[in-house]
């Protein structure tokens, strides 16, 4: 395991693209872990489909980050040759799959945001982001539909499913605040019309989430404490394990082409 | 991914209910007509096809496991997406094969239960482990290649729903096969270690892949009825020979050595393989392959751990139905 990490020049625009690429890759990877093990074959199909959408989004965003950075990095170098501290994804998406309820809650919280986010990003003054947004918005819209339907089924299903999905909501809630946070670098991009301000999406996100949670006879936690750190590389313990698996071949066989 | 032992059938037409209908049925088959779900068919034809199609479906679903083993470790994002899409295709094949089997009157739940209980078989090839990334290339190249050899003739199978399912399956399989071969090409043009990885994978998979075509013709039973019913169109040995003859030049192109030093080309140009170790085949079929227990355990685990999800979905559907009824009554 002697392959060095790449160095990344994290200008605001590169960092912005990498953060969204990392979200998509890590969540897509988590969904791909289900493949062959889902509660029903239809869900094997659906989870793989959403995983593929997210992988596709990640690849486009990494490729754009590489182009903007212009240092010879590419999608695979970003994915395979950065360590935990260099990853910039939300803490939410790296949380383990757990049971199906937990996977669906994670997906629901993220998709409810990503659906709004990508729709808003279609108006980005950066044509690449606008194009990626146009495709991603369609995908995230059905990810939201799919996960919303499951939240309702599980919440209003049996006692056991209700308990499981409520536990997942309680455990994952603290990871939702990070989606709306903005740092100085991103503020500049927002001012330039390249990025949108996620804070403007918060009330609509909360409305969607509350609506579904109510319909599912579930409740959102009272606590408003939010965990943060993913965007600057301070991750949970889970990400390192995910990366050691994801990166194993690239790290074991330096420089090989696959 | 594919079905194996296509030569098994449930006997002849001794159990046929109605001699006149049976001869009409056979006349339709002889005229190359398709048999459809609502048509009359001999009980043994129904039983043979239910077994064959459901075994094929089970193989697709169990077949997700050995390749799924590498989705999280695929060495590039392009390979990862392709592998995830491929394994998803296999799940799709399983789903529509179960649907084809259901047209013969047995529910998917019953068929799946038979697999989970160990009563129904699935292809023995999936009881071998995937140890390196080269195994993913080799499975695409050889296992899917063998599957295509088996399945192309099934596109003309006398039972309509199965034949139509096979047309779509074969299209996707040939894409998988090219993808697997492309992985092998990349490995063989890569570093010394990658080439060695490719050779090692071929060494481990070659003989089990030859066994995928089923026992040799001289000992295989029941193929007469399946042939008469146009479920099976070529013998095990014929298909195996076609596969070997197609594969030898591909291995040469890759610069890999087929692990059969005794293999020779005969005067007709066919490559004649050395004897196959049928004891190994019997052991794997009997449940003693390297991964039989793990594969079944993984399927059972997914099924059992998913039970509460399926129950919740059913409970919710019931609640919704009764609410709608109550609303309509108001």
């Amino acid at each position: 395991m002697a392959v060095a990490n790449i160095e990344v020049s994290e200008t605001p625009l590169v960092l912005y693209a990498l953060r969204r690429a990392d979200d998509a890759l890590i969540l897509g990877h988590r969904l791909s872990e289900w493949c062959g093990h889902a509660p029903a074959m239809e869900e094997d199909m659906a989870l793989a489909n959403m995983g593929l959408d997210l992988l596709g989004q990640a690849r486009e965003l990494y490729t754009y980050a590489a182009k903007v950075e212009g240092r010879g990095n590419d999608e695979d170098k970003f994915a395979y040759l950065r360590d935990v501290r260099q990853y910039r994804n939300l803490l939410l998406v790296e949380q383990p799959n757990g049971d199906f309820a937990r996977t669906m809650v994670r997906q629901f919280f993220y998709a409810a945001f990503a659906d709004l986010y990508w729709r808003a990003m279609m108006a980005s003054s950066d044509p690449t982001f606008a194009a990626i947004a146009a495709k991603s918005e369609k995908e995230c819209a059905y990810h939201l539909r799919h996960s919303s339907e499951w939240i309702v089924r599980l919440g209003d299903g049996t006692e056991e499913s209700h308990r499981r999905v409520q536990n997942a909501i309680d455990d994952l809630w603290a990871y939702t605040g990070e989606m709306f946070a903005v740092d100085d670098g991103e503020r500049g991009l927002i001012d330039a019309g390249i990025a949108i301000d996620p804070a403007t999406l918060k009330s609509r996100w909360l409305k969607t989430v509350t609506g579904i949670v109510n319909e599912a006879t579930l409740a959102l936690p009272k606590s408003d404490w939010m965990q943060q750190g993913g965007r600057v590389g301070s991750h949970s313990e889970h990400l390192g394990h995910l990366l050691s698996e994801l990166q194993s071949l690239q790290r074991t066989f330096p420089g090989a082409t696959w | 991914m594919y079905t194996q032992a296509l030569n098994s059938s449930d006997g002849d037409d001794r159990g046929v209910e109605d001699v006149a209908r049976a001869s009409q049925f056979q006349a339709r088959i002889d005229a190359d007509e398709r048999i459809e779900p609502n048509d009359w068919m001999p009980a043994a034809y129904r039983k043979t096809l239910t077994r064959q199609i459901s075994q094929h479906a089970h193989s697709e679903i169990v077949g997700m496991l050995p390749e799924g083993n590498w989705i999280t470790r695929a060495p590039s994002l392009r390979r990862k997406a392709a592998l995830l899409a491929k394994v998803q295709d296999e799940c799709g094949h399983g789903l529509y094969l179960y649907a084809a089997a259901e047209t013969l009157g047995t529910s998917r739940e019953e068929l799946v239960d038979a697999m989970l209980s160990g009563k129904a078989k699935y292809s023995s090839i999936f009881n071998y482990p995937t140890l390196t990334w080269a195994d993913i290339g080799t499975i695409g190249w050889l296992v899917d290649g063998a599957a295509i050899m088996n399945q192309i003739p099934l596109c003309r199978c006398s039972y309509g729903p199965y034949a139509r399912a096979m047309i779509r399956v074969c299209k996707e399989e040939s894409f998988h096969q090219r993808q697997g071969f492309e992985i092998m090409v990349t490995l063989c043009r890569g570093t010394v270690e990658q080439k060695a990885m490719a050779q090692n994978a071929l060494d481990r998979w070659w003989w089990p892949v030859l066994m995928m075509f089923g026992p040799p013709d001289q000992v295989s039973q029941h193929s007469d009825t399946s042939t008469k019913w146009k479920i099976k169109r070529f013998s095990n040995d014929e298909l195996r020979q076609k596969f070997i003859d197609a594969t030898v030049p591909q291995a040469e192109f890759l610069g890999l050595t087929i692990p059969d030093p005794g293999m020779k080309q005969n005067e007709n140009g066919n490559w004649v393989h050395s004897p196959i170790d049928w004891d190994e085949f019997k052991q794997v079929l009997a449940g003693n392959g390297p991964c039989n227990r793990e594969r079944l355990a993984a399927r059972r685990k997914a099924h059992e751990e998913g039970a509460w999800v399926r129950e919740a979905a059913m409970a919710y559907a019931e609640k919704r139905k009764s609410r709608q009824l109550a609303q309509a009554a108001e």
Side-chain angles (χ1 to χ4, degrees):
Chain A
M1 299 277 181
V3 185
N5 297 318
I6 55 164
E7 282 177 29
V8 183
S9 307
E10 288 185 338
T11 62
L13 188 55
V14 170
L15 182 57
Y16 192 82
L18 279 180
R19 284 171 170 171
R20 276 78 209 166
D22 289 348
D23 288 346
L25 174 65
I26 299 302
L27 187 57
H29 182 98
R30 282 293 188 218
L31 292 179
S32 80
E33 291 173 354
W34 273 102
C35 191
H37 308 280
M41 286 171 237
E42 286 78 0
E43 288 310 303
D44 264 317
M45 301 287 288
L47 294 167
N49 228 43
M50 294 187 291
L52 282 165
D53 290 339
L54 291 162
L55 265 176
Q57 294 172 14
R59 294 181 64 187
E60 287 172 1
L61 288 160
Y62 283 136
T63 301
Y64 186 49
K67 191 179 153 205
V68 174
E69 189 197 19
R71 289 185 48 157
N73 285 323
D74 57 28
E75 58 171 25
D76 286 333
K77 284 184 179 154
F78 284 133
Y80 290 89
L81 299 176
R82 284 179 305 148
D83 74 7
V84 174
R85 299 305 315 279
Q86 294 174 293
Y87 259 80
R88 302 290 179 235
N89 58 279
L90 299 165
L91 297 174
L92 175 68
V93 297
E94 73 197 41
Q95 298 308 307
N97 286 338
D99 62 11
F100 187 70
R102 186 163 297 245
T103 293
M104 278 301 113
V105 170
R106 187 185 61 200
Q107 196 68 23
F108 171 60
F109 283 158
Y110 179 77
F113 171 79
D115 178 47
L116 294 171
Y117 170 76
W118 287 120
R119 209 179 311 150
M121 281 293 283
M122 286 164 67
S124 168
S125 63
D126 180 312
T128 307
F129 275 132
I132 293 172
K135 177 171 162 286
S136 304
E137 190 278 323
K138 290 188 191 77
E139 294 165 345
C140 291
Y142 90 77
H143 299 184
L144 174 60
R145 211 158 53 234
H146 174 265
S147 55
S148 298
E149 285 170 7
W150 272 112
I151 299 301
V152 173
R153 274 186 211 113
L154 297 178
D156 195 15
T158 62
E159 266 179 48
E160 181 181 7
S161 66
H162 181 91
R163 177 178 52 76
R164 285 174 182 263
V165 71
Q166 185 63 60
N167 282 345
I169 288 175
D170 295 346
D171 289 347
L172 294 174
W173 179 247
Y175 299 111
T176 57
E178 201 176 21
M179 295 189 289
F180 304 97
V182 169
D183 64 14
D184 290 345
E186 293 198 353
R187 183 61 60 195
L189 297 175
I190 292 166
D191 294 342
I194 292 170
I196 58 105
D197 186 348
T200 61
L201 308 174
K202 180 86 184 265
S203 64
R204 272 182 290 162
W205 177 84
L206 196 59
K207 195 170 165 231
T208 305
V209 168
T210 311
I212 294 296
V213 164
N214 288 343
E215 190 186 341
T217 71
L218 298 159
L220 293 178
K222 299 265 184 288
S223 162
D224 57 1
W225 170 254
M226 291 291 158
Q227 300 288 351
Q228 294 201 35
R231 291 296 191 221
V232 292
S234 292
H235 290 278
S236 65
E237 289 176 350
H238 306 295
L239 185 63
H241 296 282
L242 185 156
L243 293 181
S244 67
E245 197 171 331
L246 182 126
Q247 299 179 338
S248 61
L249 277 176
Q250 289 270 356
R251 298 284 188 176
T252 311
F253 300 96
T257 302
W258 301 92
Chain B
M1 180 168 292
Y2 83 99
T3 181
Q4 174 177 281
L6 300 176
N7 51 334
S8 62
S9 75
D10 284 284
D12 50 32
D13 42 11
R14 270 173 300 185
V16 163
E17 300 89 325
D18 181 321
V19 177
R21 285 178 129 179
S23 72
Q24 273 174 2
F25 173 83
Q26 190 59 49
R28 290 187 61 198
I29 300 242
D30 293 343
D32 275 334
E33 282 181 42
R34 287 265 189 276
I35 307 301
E36 296 300 335
N38 292 332
D39 297 347
W40 185 90
M41 63 187 83
Y45 178 84
R46 186 183 299 277
K47 200 173 162 191
T48 296
L49 273 166
T50 303
R51 188 171 67 187
Q52 178 168 328
I53 299 171
S54 62
Q55 278 183 8
H56 192 162
H58 303 330
S59 302
E60 300 282 357
I61 298 301
V62 177
M64 294 170 73
L65 298 170
E67 290 178 281
N69 182 38
W70 280 89
I71 292 172
T72 54
R73 289 180 290 169
S76 72
L77 295 184
R78 175 174 162 254
R79 295 289 185 207
K80 192 181 186 68
L83 182 59
L84 181 54
K86 184 194 175 199
V87 180
Q88 188 198 31
D89 282 350
E90 280 153 19
C91 187
H93 298 171
L95 269 173
Y96 47 81
L97 283 163
Y98 281 124
E102 282 190 315
T103 65
L104 292 158
T106 312
S107 72
R108 178 169 125 191
E109 288 72 20
E110 280 176 84
L111 297 169
V112 169
D113 283 347
M115 185 256 284
L116 294 175
S117 72
K119 212 171 79 188
K121 298 277 180 242
Y122 58 85
S123 170
S124 62
I125 197 77
F126 303 120
N127 290 314
Y128 290 87
T130 51
L131 301 182
T132 71
W133 175 251
D135 291 34
I136 299 307
T138 307
I139 287 179
W141 173 36
L142 298 182
V143 176
D144 291 320
I148 293 166
M149 287 290 174
N150 265 334
Q151 288 172 181
I152 294 265
L154 286 172
C155 296
R156 292 185 292 135
C157 164
S158 60
Y159 189 58
Y162 193 29
R164 288 188 290 272
M166 280 304 104
I167 291 171
R168 177 161 168 193
V169 168
C170 282
K171 280 184 191 151
E172 293 184 355
E173 293 296 2
S174 75
F175 182 69
H176 297 169
Q177 203 257 354
R178 285 200 296 275
Q179 194 172 284
F181 189 70
E182 202 252 326
I183 291 177
M184 297 307 279
V185 170
T186 307
L187 292 174
C188 291
R189 288 178 183 164
T191 64
V192 174
E193 282 165 307
Q194 284 176 305
K195 180 95 187 265
M197 197 187 273
Q199 180 63 53
N200 176 266
L202 175 59
D203 292 347
R204 282 180 290 114
W205 288 92
W206 176 252
W207 293 103
V209 165
L210 294 192
M211 294 173 198
M212 280 174 63
F213 295 94
D217 295 346
Q218 72 232 37
V219 298
S220 80
Q221 295 169 354
H222 307 308
S223 52
D224 290 354
T225 333
S226 276
T227 306
K228 191 179 84 179
W229 282 335
K230 294 192 181 164
I231 297 171
K232 188 175 177 63
R233 292 187 181 253
F234 297 98
S235 77
N236 294 353
D237 285 338
E238 283 168 343
L239 290 170
R240 189 165 16 242
Q241 190 60 54
K242 267 172 96 160
F243 171 78
I244 296 174
D245 291 340
T247 306
V248 168
Q250 294 168 355
E252 269 172 29
F253 175 83
L254 291 170
L256 296 176
T257 308
I258 287 176
D260 180 0
M263 192 163 69
K264 286 189 185 67
Q265 206 166 14
N266 68 14
E267 62 278 11
N268 302 321
N270 299 127
W271 288 94
V272 183
H273 62 81
S274 304
I276 293 173
D277 179 5
W278 292 110
D279 283 339
E280 177 180 325
F281 182 65
K282 281 181 206 149
Q283 286 297 331
V284 177
L285 281 190
N288 298 324
C291 298
N292 292 56
R293 283 167 190 276
E294 281 167 56
R295 299 292 185 237
L296 262 188
R299 286 313 309 160
R300 283 179 190 146
K301 185 166 181 277
H303 190 74
E304 284 161 15
E305 289 182 356
W308 69 269
V309 178
R310 298 189 300 273
E311 282 159 18
M314 295 291 282
Y316 175 72
E318 284 299 318
K319 281 187 198 176
R320 206 167 79 152
K321 206 165 84 186
S322 52
R323 273 178 215 145
Q324 279 166 347
L325 283 175
Q327 239 174 13
E330 273 168 21

